[in-house]
Amino acid sequence: MAGMFHYVSSIVTIGIFLAFNTISYVAIGGALGVFFDFVPLGMCMSTIVSQTTLVAAGFYTQLPFGVSWIRYISPVFWTYRGIVKTALRWSDTYSCVRGQSDVGTNQCYLEFSPGIDALKRRGINVATFNDSQSDEVYLEVIMLCLLFLALQVIIFLTSALTKGRRRSSTHSKIETGSGHTEAVSQFDL
């Protein structure tokens, strides 16, 4: 596997991206679980959100201008972008039918591949000569961390507000045998 990506560090980086992607989607599921008390509704919304972020990542199709902003809140977009930047370098070559080139017979730089051009049109700048952004993955890691942390804050705030509302609504007054009332929560019963 290290021969496939040239460096063992590339494999570790790809593993880190996959782990961040997974924990981001777990956080999305946790946030939806806090929002919806009815489990089937939460599962349905989880599927809708997951599939929407997958399609909105923009690497399956070119998104219309009005909804192209959705890709920036998609964990899949940042994960895929980081993995592609980690795995592909501008100095990588592929077999082509050009004849003799700078890198050898029937070899071309990956930068001139139609697949790389399609990625660039979709906002994934990878394998570009003299462009430091095409090899660096700091932005992708930071964005995945921010997405995860934002979802954790949403989970915390929502559960804290929901718990406060539940606590105040579950207190009730019941009469005791001696004729006076006392406040009892449902947890005391």
Side-chain angles (χ1 to χ4, degrees):
M1 187 100 178
M4 182 178 184
F5 296 114
H6 308 293
Y7 303 104
V8 174
S9 63
S10 296
I11 296 170
V12 171
T13 304
I14 289 171
I16 290 170
F17 275 114
L18 293 174
F20 271 123
N21 186 54
T22 302
I23 64 171
S24 293
Y25 275 104
V26 168
I28 288 172
L32 292 172
V34 170
F35 284 130
F36 299 105
D37 290 335
F38 189 56
V39 173
L41 180 61
M43 291 177 68
C44 180
M45 289 306 296
S46 177
T47 302
I48 290 170
V49 169
S50 297
Q51 295 302 316
T52 302
T53 59
L54 188 64
V55 172
F59 49 83
Y60 289 126
T61 183
Q62 186 86 25
L63 294 174
F65 180 74
V67 294
S68 64
W69 62 269
I70 295 174
R71 79 174 63 185
Y72 298 112
I73 60 171
S74 170
V76 174
F77 173 73
W78 297 108
T79 301
Y80 182 74
R81 187 171 153 164
I83 289 173
V84 169
K85 282 184 170 187
T86 300
L88 303 176
R89 306 273 186 244
W90 71 268
S91 59
D92 292 342
T93 61
Y94 71 101
S95 296
C96 62
V97 292
R98 283 194 171 169
Q100 186 68 24
S101 69
D102 292 343
V103 274
T105 307
N106 294 332
Q107 292 292 313
C108 296
Y109 283 116
L110 191 62
E111 178 180 15
F112 302 115
S113 169
I116 298 298
D117 290 337
L119 288 173
K120 288 178 184 175
R121 280 194 305 273
R122 289 178 173 83
I124 301 173
N125 191 20
V126 64
T128 305
F129 177 71
N130 250 356
D131 184 11
S132 63
Q133 294 295 320
S134 69
D135 291 339
E136 294 177 357
V137 293
Y138 301 119
L139 176 65
E140 289 77 12
V141 170
I142 290 170
M143 287 306 297
L144 283 169
C145 287
L146 286 176
L147 281 171
F148 175 71
L149 292 174
L151 287 165
Q152 292 300 315
V153 167
I154 289 170
I155 290 170
F156 176 75
L157 292 176
T158 305
S159 63
L161 292 174
T162 305
K163 185 177 179 182
R165 273 190 271 146
R166 284 185 188 157
R167 181 174 290 155
S168 66
S169 68
T170 58
H171 285 277
S172 61
K173 293 187 177 189
I174 61 169
E175 286 196 33
T176 62
S178 61
H180 65 278
T181 61
E182 65 182 72
V184 178
S185 84
Q186 76 178 17
F187 302 111
D188 294 335
L189 298 174

